Amino acid sequence: MIRPVHGGNLAWAAALAGCPASAIVDFSASISPLGPPESALAAIQSHLSSLTAYPDPDYGELRTALGEALNVDPDWILPGNGSAELLTWAAWDLSKLEATYLVTPAFGDYWRALSAFGAQVLKCPLELQSCTIVKNGQDAHSTRDEFSCGTGILPVPKQLIEQGATSQLEKSLDAATGNELVTDDVSVSNRSLVSPSLRLPVPLALDADYRRGLLLNNPHNPTGLLFAREAILPYVKQLGMVVVDEAFMDFLPPSEQETLIDAVEEFPNLVILRSLTKFYSLPGLRLGCAIAHPDILHRWQQQRDPWPVNALAAAAAAAVVRDAAFEQQTWDWLPVARFELFEALANLPGLQPFPGAANFLLVESSMSVSSIQKSLLERHRILIRDCLSFPELGDHFFRVAVRSRTDNLRLIAGLTDVISR
């Protein structure tokens, strides 16, 4: 089978591992382990009768629910068959400009969408460096206070360090049972990982240049970097169109998000893309939305298929965005789980994870990732996301999702075994 360019290709992984796809523990797709929410399953069950009718082409109920959740007028929202569908239409608009700036390494689907319409792409590479670990002013390899990652300083919650959580994951290696998402009652403030010194590697002209556009995701995939809204707004004021993919923004609580949704009404050249599949663990339903000026959305609506979101997906989406309890559960779980996984990865020889604001971690490896990936599949039935589809990263970086503690323990045990060989 052809090597996948996206995460989550369980058929390919199962063929390589020689087992059923259901036996693979998938760290390659950054999907929340908490879902799907019961609210989504109940909505699907209660709307089965709707399968005999076409969906509402205006998706009035869904846009109302999304508007309430995002604090946006429903006329400024367009639901889509995942954010990937809406990305295609955004790339269609960007291709009409003279050129589009793309921060690299970039999600592979950006290249797909832009090249489909012949867009001229200007690559703007992030300064990717192995993190310098600083402890009391000296380099260290265990407890971390902060990390210098070239483009900015990303702080790590000190509460975990003070409460001894740096070894929590390792201590559980022999005691893990079930699939619980345990936090050991460690209270971690989900402090923002954004730094005022973090700037986009995109040229900013003295005068406006409406002939060019910008496509950016925030938090950034695959690095996990979180850009401040103040770092992006100057480009919105200068360029012809700015598309910000906020597919992972909802993994931060509202008070710590750097979303630009509230700027859309002021800037008719700004488009925000949101995914509903990662946070709510519903990738099979294909759910997403765009927030932009109604003129843009109306044009896209006229060009695309009349019913891109099926009736069950629409019902599930309207339910989950109103599920406040599930949202809070995720915001309480992720900071602790991500930090524990980060610490465990950092303590393995030859691996250096990068701090990130999303539900995944980018890891630099001194060994061939292709070899590690193959061994993990064959020996432990674990799939990690190689970064071969990111030319700037190649065979010495991989990305892993933050999963349940049981799964995270299994990953660390598998990596320990593979690396030792």
Side-chain angles (χ1 to χ4, degrees):
M1 297 179 68
I2 298 175
R3 191 179 195 88
V5 295
H6 290 286
N9 193 325
L10 296 182
W12 174 84
L16 189 60
C19 67
S22 59
I24 300 293
V25 181
D26 185 15
F27 281 85
S28 69
S30 300
I31 306 299
S32 170
L34 298 182
E38 287 299 324
S39 56
L41 303 179
I44 291 171
Q45 184 66 37
S46 65
H47 283 78
L48 290 176
S49 60
S50 67
L51 294 177
T52 59
Y54 286 101
D56 171 15
D58 293 327
Y59 297 100
E61 181 180 350
L62 175 55
R63 288 193 298 111
T64 296
L66 290 169
E68 293 171 356
L70 300 173
N71 196 27
V72 177
D73 188 307
D75 289 341
W76 293 66
I77 298 176
L78 183 67
N81 188 241
S83 58
E85 183 225 347
L86 300 164
L87 169 64
T88 299
W89 297 112
W92 180 51
D93 276 3
L94 287 168
S95 70
K96 298 173 185 176
L97 300 175
E98 179 184 275
T100 295
Y101 294 114
L102 183 63
V103 175
T104 58
F107 177 41
D109 218 34
Y110 296 167
W111 295 104
R112 186 273 309 168
L114 291 168
S115 64
F117 300 104
Q120 177 69 32
V121 177
L122 301 175
K123 295 192 292 184
C124 301
L126 283 167
E127 183 184 353
L128 289 175
Q129 300 177 354
S130 296
C131 297
T132 299
I133 305 161
V134 181
K135 175 64 176 176
N136 296 327
Q138 298 180 348
D139 290 353
H141 296 283
S142 55
T143 306
R144 283 98 171 130
D145 282 338
E146 61 185 17
F147 303 78
S148 174
C149 293
T151 51
I153 301 298
L154 305 179
V156 172
K158 293 183 179 179
Q159 290 92 330
L160 276 176
I161 296 172
E162 293 166 356
Q163 297 188 41
T166 55
S167 60
Q168 289 295 338
L169 201 59
E170 290 91 333
K171 286 179 181 178
S172 303
L173 277 170
D174 297 324
T177 57
N179 195 39
E180 299 86 2
L181 295 167
V182 185
T183 61
D184 291 335
D185 296 323
V186 177
S187 177
V188 182
S189 172
N190 194 350
R191 291 167 53 187
S192 176
L193 291 170
V194 70
S195 166
S197 63
L198 195 57
R199 295 290 180 259
L200 294 182
V202 180
L204 196 60
L206 294 177
D207 300 315
D209 187 356
Y210 300 123
R211 300 167 301 170
R212 296 188 174 186
L214 169 65
L215 174 56
L216 170 75
N217 52 354
N218 193 33
H220 181 261
N221 177 19
T223 66
L225 292 174
L226 180 65
F227 297 100
R229 52 180 281 123
E230 290 77 14
I232 304 174
L233 279 173
Y235 298 93
V236 181
K237 298 173 182 177
Q238 277 210 352
L239 299 176
M241 186 175 192
V242 173
V243 179
V244 183
D245 178 2
E246 296 184 350
F248 295 99
M249 189 67 76
D250 45 4
F251 282 99
L252 288 100
S255 63
E256 297 175 19
Q257 293 184 10
E258 295 293 330
T259 181
L260 284 173
I261 287 179
D262 61 353
V264 167
E265 291 192 20
E266 181 181 355
F267 299 102
N269 62 327
L270 175 62
V271 175
I272 306 297
L273 302 180
R274 281 291 184 105
S275 169
L276 280 78
T277 59
K278 299 170 176 63
F279 186 87
Y280 298 105
S281 192
L282 295 167
L285 275 184
R286 311 308 307 132
L287 295 166
C289 69
I291 303 98
H293 193 283
D295 289 349
I296 294 177
L297 303 183
H298 179 72
R299 179 160 32 83
W300 293 2
Q301 176 79 334
Q302 294 298 108
Q303 296 292 329
R304 68 176 187 168
D305 295 339
W307 301 285
V309 181
N310 69 69
L312 298 184
V320 296
V321 296
R322 294 177 168 127
D323 193 338
F326 181 84
E327 292 176 339
Q328 191 60 54
Q329 181 187 10
T330 302
W331 297 328
D332 291 341
W333 155 76
L334 179 58
V336 177
R338 182 177 57 215
F339 185 80
E340 289 181 345
L341 180 59
F342 180 100
E343 283 288 310
L345 288 166
N347 286 327
L348 291 179
L351 299 185
Q352 179 57 68
F354 286 73
N359 64 324
F360 58 82
L361 292 171
L362 179 68
V363 184
E364 185 174 11
S365 169
S366 62
M367 297 156 282
S368 165
V369 168
S370 297
S371 176
I372 293 175
Q373 183 188 58
K374 184 173 183 291
S375 296
L376 278 175
L377 280 170
E378 292 176 343
R379 296 181 58 80
H380 300 280
R381 298 181 176 181
I382 293 172
L383 175 61
I384 61 174
R385 171 71 152 89
D386 66 60
C387 290
L388 295 176
S389 62
F390 302 100
E392 301 84 1
L393 300 181
D395 196 35
H396 284 278
F397 287 84
F398 64 90
R399 194 193 68 196
V400 288
V402 181
R403 293 181 56 91
S404 70
R405 169 166 288 188
T406 299
D407 287 348
N408 293 343
L409 292 171
R410 182 170 170 180
L411 172 66
I412 297 304
L415 283 169
T416 301
D417 171 61
V418 169
I419 290 172
S420 68
R421 294 174 181 270

